[in-house]
Amino acid sequence: MHTKYHTLLGIALATITYITTKNTPATIATFIISWAPDTDHIIDYIIHEKTLKPNPTKLLTGQHYQDHKTIYIPLHAYEHTPLIYIITQTLLGTTTATTTTLAYLLHLITDTITNPIHPQTMLITWRAHKKFKSEHLCKNYQTTTINQK
């Protein structure tokens, strides 16, 4: 799912969080975590292109994934879920931990559904096992551009 849609979904989740909990930190954290994992696409771009100066077209279209045939996306990983809950619970309490963890999981689930990837692609251990090669992570690999639907 494109980041703009994660942001819109985040606004909806944050609104629901505020209406149901009246908890401002939970509301803000829910909104942030609904789109924040997509910042790892910048990490992939830097690794692929070996530059800190992005080409906006190449970054926003995901062309660098086609050019380099690897997908790292380190913030997209179900394995992070317990850590997100534990750290958030320790710092901000159970309500915030619950809402942010649900927002994070919803981000991963919507990406899995809306991108032409195999479900296991959201497991960083599986991506590592497959050496982060796009051909093993994407369905219809030859015509795939990740995260641009």
XYZ file of all heavy atoms in Angstrom, residues 74-115:
328
model
N 13.719 -3.216 6.332
C 13.937 -3.754 7.676
C 12.856 -3.436 8.707
O 12.736 -4.155 9.703
C 15.273 -3.130 8.096
C 15.421 -1.920 7.248
C 14.742 -2.250 5.939
N 12.060 -2.404 8.483
C 11.000 -2.083 9.445
C 9.710 -2.840 9.172
O 8.775 -2.784 9.968
C 10.729 -0.572 9.454
C 11.922 0.294 9.835
C 11.540 1.772 9.789
C 12.465 -0.076 11.203
N 9.655 -3.553 8.069
C 8.491 -4.376 7.730
C 8.788 -5.819 8.149
O 9.300 -6.608 7.359
C 8.220 -4.333 6.228
C 7.621 -3.061 5.746
N 8.348 -1.902 5.621
C 6.354 -2.768 5.350
C 7.550 -0.956 5.160
N 6.338 -1.448 4.991
N 8.468 -6.162 9.377
C 8.784 -7.515 9.855
C 7.888 -7.873 11.040
O 7.898 -7.185 12.062
C 10.254 -7.605 10.260
N 7.156 -8.959 10.880
C 6.314 -9.423 11.986
C 7.141 -9.704 13.241
O 6.632 -9.603 14.353
C 5.537 -10.682 11.581
C 4.372 -10.394 10.672
C 4.375 -10.834 9.353
C 3.271 -9.680 11.125
C 3.301 -10.569 8.511
C 2.200 -9.404 10.298
C 2.224 -9.851 8.994
O 1.164 -9.583 8.169
N 8.401 -10.019 13.059
C 9.254 -10.313 14.214
C 9.406 -9.115 15.149
O 9.720 -9.279 16.322
C 10.669 -10.748 13.757
C 10.709 -12.045 12.989
C 10.634 -11.858 11.483
O 10.041 -10.856 11.006
O 11.161 -12.721 10.768
N 9.164 -7.907 14.638
C 9.277 -6.706 15.478
C 8.076 -6.513 16.407
O 8.145 -5.716 17.350
C 9.420 -5.453 14.617
C 10.624 -5.431 13.747
N 11.829 -5.992 14.085
C 10.804 -4.888 12.504
C 12.700 -5.808 13.109
N 12.101 -5.152 12.130
N 6.987 -7.196 16.148
C 5.739 -6.962 16.872
C 5.885 -7.086 18.392
O 5.468 -6.173 19.117
C 4.630 -7.897 16.352
O 4.537 -7.740 14.931
C 3.293 -7.578 16.986
N 6.473 -8.158 18.932
C 6.606 -8.229 20.392
C 7.465 -7.085 20.958
O 7.150 -6.549 22.019
C 7.277 -9.580 20.653
C 7.109 -10.360 19.408
C 6.954 -9.382 18.288
N 8.505 -6.709 20.235
C 9.358 -5.616 20.697
C 8.604 -4.293 20.726
O 8.759 -3.507 21.666
C 10.592 -5.478 19.804
C 11.611 -6.594 19.890
C 12.689 -6.421 18.826
C 12.231 -6.640 21.276
N 7.815 -4.052 19.703
C 7.012 -2.826 19.673
C 6.084 -2.788 20.873
O 5.978 -1.777 21.567
C 6.227 -2.718 18.348
C 7.201 -2.432 17.211
C 5.129 -1.658 18.426
C 6.598 -2.564 15.838
N 5.426 -3.907 21.143
C 4.502 -3.943 22.285
C 5.255 -3.730 23.603
O 4.865 -2.897 24.416
C 3.715 -5.262 22.333
C 2.702 -5.239 23.449
C 1.451 -4.683 23.239
C 3.024 -5.699 24.719
C 0.528 -4.602 24.270
C 2.110 -5.621 25.755
C 0.864 -5.071 25.527
O -0.042 -4.978 26.548
N 6.314 -4.470 23.809
C 7.044 -4.409 25.090
C 7.646 -3.021 25.325
O 7.507 -2.451 26.415
C 8.133 -5.505 25.156
C 7.469 -6.887 25.236
C 9.082 -5.285 26.329
C 8.410 -8.050 24.961
N 8.297 -2.473 24.315
C 8.926 -1.153 24.477
C 7.865 -0.077 24.695
O 7.997 0.761 25.599
C 9.822 -0.817 23.265
C 11.037 -1.742 23.263
C 10.240 0.649 23.270
C 11.848 -1.722 21.983
N 6.807 -0.110 23.896
C 5.749 0.891 24.047
C 5.035 0.738 25.375
O 4.733 1.734 26.050
C 4.751 0.803 22.876
O 5.464 0.832 21.646
C 3.772 1.955 22.902
N 4.804 -0.483 25.796
C 4.138 -0.714 27.077
C 4.995 -0.191 28.226
O 4.496 0.438 29.149
C 3.830 -2.207 27.249
C 2.801 -2.529 28.303
C 3.381 -2.609 29.714
O 4.550 -2.897 29.897
N 2.546 -2.328 30.693
N 6.278 -0.423 28.153
C 7.200 0.035 29.197
C 7.241 1.563 29.255
O 7.239 2.144 30.343
C 8.616 -0.520 28.941
O 8.540 -1.954 28.933
C 9.593 -0.084 30.006
N 7.278 2.201 28.092
C 7.425 3.657 28.046
C 6.109 4.420 28.167
O 6.070 5.494 28.782
C 8.120 4.075 26.742
C 9.544 3.567 26.547
C 10.048 3.940 25.156
C 10.466 4.117 27.629
N 5.033 3.880 27.592
C 3.797 4.657 27.478
C 2.546 3.967 28.005
O 1.467 4.548 27.976
C 3.571 5.056 26.015
C 4.670 5.934 25.396
C 4.464 6.064 23.893
C 4.702 7.304 26.068
N 2.660 2.725 28.448
C 1.516 2.045 29.034
C 0.819 1.077 28.085
O 1.082 1.030 26.889
N -0.077 0.318 28.668
C -0.744 -0.771 27.962
C -1.654 -0.291 26.839
O -1.671 -0.893 25.759
C -1.542 -1.635 28.961
O -0.637 -2.120 29.948
C -2.217 -2.805 28.284
N -2.404 0.769 27.061
C -3.306 1.257 26.018
C -2.526 1.656 24.768
O -2.866 1.248 23.647
C -4.133 2.456 26.525
O -4.911 2.023 27.649
C -5.054 3.000 25.445
N -1.471 2.433 24.954
C -0.660 2.866 23.813
C 0.020 1.671 23.157
O 0.089 1.586 21.927
C 0.379 3.915 24.250
O -0.314 4.993 24.880
C 1.173 4.443 23.081
N 0.508 0.736 23.957
C 1.151 -0.462 23.399
C 0.164 -1.253 22.550
O 0.508 -1.727 21.457
C 1.707 -1.329 24.520
N -1.051 -1.375 23.020
C -2.065 -2.136 22.285
C -2.425 -1.445 20.973
O -2.439 -2.079 19.909
C -3.325 -2.329 23.154
O -2.942 -3.011 24.357
C -4.393 -3.120 22.426
N -2.687 -0.138 21.019
C -3.116 0.559 19.802
C -1.980 0.661 18.781
O -2.211 0.499 17.583
C -3.677 1.958 20.110
O -2.670 2.757 20.745
C -4.917 1.861 20.986
N -0.751 0.892 19.239
C 0.357 0.997 18.284
C 0.695 -0.367 17.684
O 1.010 -0.464 16.503
C 1.621 1.614 18.916
O 1.988 0.878 20.063
C 1.404 3.063 19.271
N 0.615 -1.403 18.481
C 0.883 -2.745 17.964
C -0.163 -3.130 16.919
O 0.172 -3.679 15.862
C 0.942 -3.781 19.104
O 1.960 -3.381 20.018
C 1.229 -5.173 18.585
N -1.408 -2.818 17.195
C -2.458 -3.095 16.209
C -2.254 -2.275 14.935
O -2.436 -2.789 13.817
C -3.842 -2.827 16.806
C -4.289 -3.822 17.879
C -5.594 -3.350 18.533
C -4.435 -5.218 17.309
N -1.849 -1.021 15.069
C -1.587 -0.180 13.892
C -0.423 -0.744 13.085
O -0.469 -0.765 11.844
C -1.308 1.258 14.315
N 0.616 -1.203 13.765
C 1.765 -1.791 13.071
C 1.357 -3.057 12.320
O 1.692 -3.236 11.147
C 2.878 -2.100 14.079
C 4.105 -2.713 13.454
C 4.970 -1.941 12.693
C 4.394 -4.064 13.612
C 6.095 -2.501 12.102
C 5.516 -4.625 13.031
C 6.366 -3.844 12.279
O 7.473 -4.396 11.695
N 0.618 -3.925 12.990
C 0.159 -5.154 12.339
C -0.744 -4.840 11.149
O -0.638 -5.493 10.107
C -0.568 -6.049 13.343
C 0.324 -6.732 14.368
C -0.523 -7.408 15.453
C 1.246 -7.739 13.696
N -1.598 -3.845 11.282
C -2.467 -3.470 10.171
C -1.638 -2.960 8.991
O -1.959 -3.246 7.830
C -3.484 -2.420 10.613
C -4.572 -2.102 9.605
C -5.371 -3.345 9.232
C -5.505 -1.033 10.153
N -0.563 -2.248 9.273
C 0.337 -1.792 8.205
C 0.889 -2.998 7.444
O 0.841 -3.035 6.211
C 1.484 -0.966 8.796
C 2.418 -0.426 7.764
N 2.418 0.901 7.417
C 3.355 -1.024 6.997
C 3.324 1.087 6.465
N 3.915 -0.067 6.210
N 1.398 -3.980 8.168
C 1.976 -5.158 7.521
C 0.925 -5.957 6.753
O 1.167 -6.417 5.634
C 2.666 -6.057 8.552
C 3.842 -5.447 9.313
C 4.438 -6.486 10.263
C 4.895 -4.892 8.384
N -0.230 -6.115 7.355
C -1.297 -6.893 6.710
C -1.767 -6.201 5.434
O -1.924 -6.851 4.395
C -2.464 -7.139 7.692
C -2.009 -8.104 8.800
C -3.700 -7.671 6.959
C -2.944 -8.158 9.996
N -1.975 -4.887 5.487
C -2.433 -4.195 4.275
C -1.360 -4.226 3.192
O -1.683 -4.349 2.012
C -2.869 -2.745 4.566
O -1.796 -2.032 5.186
C -4.116 -2.709 5.420
N -0.092 -4.128 3.573
C 0.974 -4.256 2.576
C 0.979 -5.650 1.946
O 1.168 -5.796 0.742
C 2.349 -3.978 3.197
C 2.725 -2.513 3.152
O 1.964 -1.701 2.585
O 3.790 -2.179 3.688
N 0.760 -6.660 2.752
C 0.743 -8.031 2.238
C -0.411 -8.229 1.258
O -0.254 -8.869 0.218
C 0.639 -9.041 3.401
O 1.749 -8.857 4.276
C 0.630 -10.469 2.891
N -1.553 -7.653 1.575
C -2.736 -7.811 0.731
C -2.639 -6.983 -0.547
O -3.031 -7.442 -1.619
C -4.014 -7.432 1.521
C -4.257 -8.452 2.634
C -5.225 -7.319 0.606
C -5.309 -8.023 3.638
N -2.097 -5.780 -0.453
C -2.158 -4.861 -1.596
C -0.915 -4.871 -2.478
O -0.939 -4.275 -3.553
C -2.419 -3.415 -1.130
O -1.337 -2.984 -0.293
C -3.741 -3.313 -0.395
N 0.151 -5.490 -2.061
C 1.359 -5.582 -2.880
C 1.490 -6.995 -3.446
O 1.069 -7.958 -2.807
C 2.612 -5.249 -2.067
C 2.745 -3.771 -1.811
O 2.706 -2.960 -2.718
N 2.900 -3.409 -0.554
